[in-house]
Amino acid sequence: MVIDYIPYNGEIKRLAKSSIIKLNNCGGLRLFSFGDYLPEMDGDIYAAIKDAQEVGLQLKAITKQVDFIPKFYRYMRVINVSVDSLGEGVDHETAQNLRRSYPNVLIRAVIMKDSDLEDLAWADIFNFNHVHNQYKYYSPKQIKEYAKKFPNKVCCETGRCETCSIKCGLV
């Protein structure tokens, strides 16, 4: 069965203080980790924002949906706009305009092949393909090496948000 939407039911207010601290140490709770923004989510997102503010939980988002940004940027610690060289991410010019227009928007480039490093060098964050698919697989060892070449720019260097040094940026 495919589930395309799970409504927000106050889960944030039920988090233990230790979980809130742990999530904030990861740069905040990430919205859209297994999907992306849809306008019909607005009510749930506003409810989650309200609850997050009440308990002191930071929020962050990684998205390809540019409509999310003007509505919600005020409430996010950081928003990463996802770009790639495959034409599946945000248009590059649009992404650069969003970065200029909003103080907490950064550009996250998905690196699917070595030439992306040059073609997408203007991005703020590199996220190397770390799953086995039809694109180049970057091993944990390779990602660590790239993190040395591009300090403060490589996401998933350690494979865990808790130990990541950039925490989606703006730390």
Side-chain angles (χ1 to χ4, degrees), residues 73 79 90 112 130 132 144 155 163:
Y73 80 94
I79 299 172
V90 174
M112 306 302 276
H130 51 276
H132 293 282
K144 285 183 188 299
C155 180
T163 54

Side-chain angles (χ1 to χ4, degrees), residues 3 14 27 41 50 68 77 88 95 118 139 144 149:
I3 299 171
R14 295 192 296 272
M41 297 174 176
K50 178 183 173 287
F68 173 82
R77 184 187 66 77
E88 295 177 9
E118 186 174 325
S139 70
K144 285 183 188 299
K149 290 181 186 177

Side-chain angles (χ1 to χ4, degrees), residues 93-143:
E93 185 176 337
T94 300
Q96 291 172 4
N97 286 336
L98 289 166
R99 177 175 56 189
R100 282 190 292 273
S101 299
Y102 297 95
N104 59 338
V105 169
L106 297 175
I107 300 172
R108 177 188 202 89
V110 181
I111 306 300
M112 306 302 276
K113 58 188 182 298
D114 291 342
S115 62
D116 288 347
L117 289 167
E118 186 174 325
D119 297 340
L120 300 170
W122 49 269
D124 302 297
I125 297 169
F126 289 154
N127 184 18
F128 289 85
N129 183 45
H130 51 276
V131 296
H132 293 282
N133 53 26
Q134 69 267 33
Y135 303 103
K136 181 173 180 177
Y137 169 78
Y138 291 91
S139 70
K141 182 179 178 184
Q142 288 171 309
I143 293 170

